[in-house]
Amino acid sequence: MRVEKYHLKTESTFTRFEFVSEGPKGAIRKLIEFQETTNSQIFNLAFGDYDPQTKEINDLAVSDNGDTEKILGTVVSALYVFLNEFPDVYVYAAGSTKARTRLYRMGITKFYEQMKNDFYLYGQIGDEFPDFEIGIDYEGFLAQRKFKKKEL
């Protein structure tokens, strides 16, 4: 994807990423976590502002720092890194609100041509996950890397 991104920091397990959003509201620390679910083949993508009180993600915070596209590009960069490390798993993502889920759909749509080359993409409708199609409202999204990491 050719979009500006923030520099990501991660730890050795490649499941937690951090970056700083820069904009009119100042420097805002952001976290991305790939969290295990009850299904060992599916990880949940959690994203939001870093809450210094809990040291966790606040996925309801509204930063409004004027850098939405750069943030989405950064989250997708973390998705690439994570799925390069764990190529056989799926990543599930849904917004903490309907508006955020719509924002994710708009981001996928904007970069769909590139993403469909690298990921199997599915949209959630109830308990079903049909192939992602542009123009359909989904409750969540599922992605898996198409190309497996090559062994040396």
Side-chain angles (χ1 to χ4, degrees):
M1 288 186 343
R2 290 185 175 88
V3 63
E4 197 174 355
K5 303 169 204 75
Y6 287 109
H7 174 74
L8 282 169
K9 293 185 212 172
T10 189
E11 35 55 70
S12 61
T13 63
F14 297 99
T15 58
R16 185 175 170 119
F17 296 80
E18 183 179 325
F19 66 95
V20 176
S21 163
E22 298 281 348
K25 305 277 174 113
I28 301 171
R29 190 172 168 191
K30 304 280 189 177
L31 292 179
I32 305 164
E33 282 186 355
F34 294 93
Q35 304 165 333
E36 290 185 58
T37 67
T38 55
N39 181 331
S40 64
Q41 291 302 111
I42 300 174
F43 282 73
N44 179 64
L45 188 161
F47 167 72
D49 288 5
Y50 174 76
D51 183 331
Q53 303 275 335
T54 64
K55 299 187 181 0
E56 295 295 327
I57 293 172
N58 177 351
D59 64 358
L60 294 173
V62 178
S63 303
D64 199 20
N65 217 9
D67 57 351
T68 301
E69 189 168 299
K70 192 171 181 178
I71 287 172
L72 288 174
T74 305
V75 172
V76 172
S77 290
L79 180 67
Y80 272 94
V81 172
F82 177 78
L83 287 175
N84 281 341
E85 291 298 315
F86 303 95
D88 297 320
V89 302
Y90 292 85
V91 172
Y92 175 79
S96 55
T97 65
K98 285 186 177 192
R100 288 187 181 186
T101 300
R102 182 175 171 271
L103 179 66
Y104 295 165
R105 178 178 54 83
M106 290 168 39
I108 293 169
T109 298
K110 183 169 186 166
F111 300 107
Y112 180 70
E113 289 305 313
Q114 173 63 43
M115 291 182 75
K116 75 177 185 176
N117 292 326
D118 297 334
F119 299 103
Y120 297 107
L121 296 169
Y122 307 95
Q124 181 184 10
I125 300 174
D127 292 334
E128 302 294 319
F129 286 88
D131 288 343
F132 179 88
E133 291 182 43
I134 292 173
I136 297 178
D137 286 332
Y138 294 108
E139 299 163 37
F141 309 94
L142 201 60
Q144 184 183 41
R145 192 81 159 103
K146 280 187 176 179
F147 308 109
K148 306 299 183 202
K149 189 175 178 182
K150 294 183 181 177
E151 298 297 321
L152 297 177

